[in-house]
Amino acid sequence: MTGSSKAGKTGTVEVSGFGDLNILDFIDAKMPAKGWPAKISIGGASKNGRLAGKLHYVDIDGTDADAVNACLERNAELPLTEIDCEIDIMRLFSEVERLDLVLPNTARLAQDHRIAVRG
């Protein structure tokens, strides 16, 4: 977790990627086709057994590098739009085969050091 709150039992996890999988492939939400997803807040379960959450996105064409750069240059903060979403976490786990969680201190060290795993 990159941040947490004991009182509210909240935390932040950074997702780097799943090889050729995209986390958005496992999320059902009514976001514009080319919106730029920024954050997912997960809290609770939906009625059909999936994780319930909120997807936050920047309302620009995230596939257009010039539009993204212009947005970043114009704004000191990113205006996010929040919509409901559902995450099919079981399908994600079935396709990923294994999920490695790298803890923040190790992630910082790994920027400058090679990591070797000994079994």
Side-chain angles (χ1 to χ4, degrees):
M1 285 197 226
T2 54
S4 66
S5 166
K6 188 172 183 177
K9 294 186 180 179
T10 64
T12 304
V13 175
E14 183 177 318
V15 178
S16 297
F18 301 98
D20 61 344
L21 299 177
N22 184 334
I23 189 71
L24 295 172
D25 293 339
F26 303 94
I27 295 176
D28 290 329
K30 291 185 172 138
M31 186 181 84
K34 293 186 178 183
W36 182 20
K39 176 181 162 186
I40 303 163
S41 295
I42 302 169
S46 67
K47 293 177 184 171
N48 60 9
R50 294 179 173 186
L51 292 176
K54 301 282 184 186
L55 176 64
H56 302 85
Y57 68 92
V58 182
D59 197 8
I60 61 169
D61 184 350
T63 63
D64 181 347
D66 291 336
V68 171
N69 286 331
C71 177
L72 294 174
E73 288 174 6
R74 275 193 319 268
N75 299 301
E77 64 181 39
L78 293 175
L80 298 180
T81 302
E82 176 185 273
I83 57 173
D84 291 326
C85 71
E86 289 184 344
I87 303 150
D88 191 342
I89 196 74
M90 294 311 291
R91 188 174 139 238
L92 171 64
F93 285 146
S94 71
E95 291 196 30
V96 110
E97 294 178 10
R98 186 182 92 195
L99 182 63
D100 293 333
L101 301 176
V102 178
L103 302 178
N105 291 338
T106 304
R108 282 198 276 304
L109 287 172
Q111 292 174 358
D112 300 318
H113 299 80
R114 218 175 107 245
I115 293 180
V117 178
R118 296 186 180 124

